[in-house]
């Protein structure tokens, strides 16, 4: 069963809000207060470096980024770049190929792209970078979430 956590607005609306049980996020003294530079492994990767800049800005603004997270965030960016590179291969060559004996097989890149996408989704959840995780993040109001959704819908 999924563990669904209601946000404060939902609890207030339903009359179940209790201040003594509300999670509060204090300013973590170990959280980074600056956006780290793009790692050298991502410098040539347009998608990876753009995602790095966007994700670090979001995480630093919400005091969620620690120095120990940087390697994992870099792996997320590399995997995201790999996924889009594989998608480009699939777009050009298709999903399948035919052998000399007439058998039809999936390209190995199709399986690799699926694995990369699953890894990206899992890592995004860890960093609060997917919509559901962001909605559960303490300190983000519905107005702030609506603004973020509006920006995403425009692009």
């Amino acid at each position: 069963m999924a563990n669904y956590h209601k946000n404060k607005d939902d609890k207030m609306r339903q009359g179940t809000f209790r201040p003594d049980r509300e999670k509060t996020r204090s300013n973590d003294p170990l959280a980074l207060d600056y956006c780290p530079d793009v790692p050298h492994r991502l410098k040539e990767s347009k998608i990876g470096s753009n995602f790095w800049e966007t994700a670090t800005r979001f995480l630093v603004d919400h005091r969620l980024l620690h120095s120990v997270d940087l390697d994992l965030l870099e792996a997320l960016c590399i995997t995201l770049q790999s996924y889009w590179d594989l998608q480009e291969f699939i777009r050009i060559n298709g999903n399948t190929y035919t052998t000399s004996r007439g058998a039809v097989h999936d390209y190995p890149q199709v399986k690799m792209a699926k694995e990369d996408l699953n890894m990206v989704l899992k890592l995004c959840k860890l960093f609060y970078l997917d919509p559901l995780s962001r909605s559960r993040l303490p300190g983000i109001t519905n107005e702030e979430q609506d603004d973020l959704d509006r920006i995403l819908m425009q692009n």
Side-chain angles (χ1 to χ4, degrees), residues 11-155:
K11 291 177 185 176
M12 294 291 275
R13 213 174 312 118
Q14 294 173 353
T16 58
F17 176 73
R18 286 186 49 187
D20 59 322
R21 291 191 175 178
E22 187 65 19
K23 292 181 185 176
T24 57
R25 196 177 79 232
S26 63
N27 285 338
D28 188 351
L30 300 177
L32 296 178
D33 58 353
Y34 63 93
C35 289
D37 292 334
V38 177
H40 70 278
R41 288 184 284 246
L42 293 174
K43 296 252 186 223
E44 297 176 10
S45 162
K46 182 179 179 186
I47 293 171
S49 60
N50 286 345
F51 188 79
W52 173 273
E53 291 170 356
T54 305
T56 55
R57 193 174 323 112
F58 172 80
L59 294 169
V60 166
D61 288 349
H62 288 61
R63 311 258 326 137
L64 295 172
L65 187 62
H66 293 75
S67 59
V68 295
D69 299 331
L70 297 179
D71 290 334
L72 192 58
L73 185 60
E74 183 178 354
L76 168 60
C77 296
I78 290 170
T79 307
L80 183 65
Q81 180 65 48
S82 171
Y83 170 76
W84 286 111
D85 291 343
L86 292 167
Q87 285 300 321
E88 182 64 18
F89 175 88
I90 293 168
R91 186 187 65 76
I92 293 169
N93 299 303
N95 288 335
T96 59
Y97 65 96
T98 306
T99 63
S100 59
R101 295 185 177 182
V104 177
H105 295 286
D106 284 340
Y107 278 111
Q109 287 83 348
V110 173
K111 182 180 178 190
M112 291 166 57
K114 288 179 185 176
E115 291 171 355
D116 281 353
L117 182 60
N118 286 333
M119 183 59 66
V120 165
L121 294 174
K122 287 177 184 177
L123 291 172
C124 282
K125 285 181 184 178
L126 291 176
F127 285 109
Y128 294 99
L129 296 174
D130 68 312
L132 183 59
S133 296
R134 275 195 316 270
S135 70
R136 295 177 180 170
L137 187 63
I140 291 187
T141 62
N142 278 348
E143 295 82 24
E144 199 173 354
Q145 182 70 26
D146 292 342
D147 291 341
L148 190 56
D149 290 340
R150 211 173 297 117
I151 291 169
L152 291 173
M153 295 304 285
Q154 289 174 354
N155 295 331

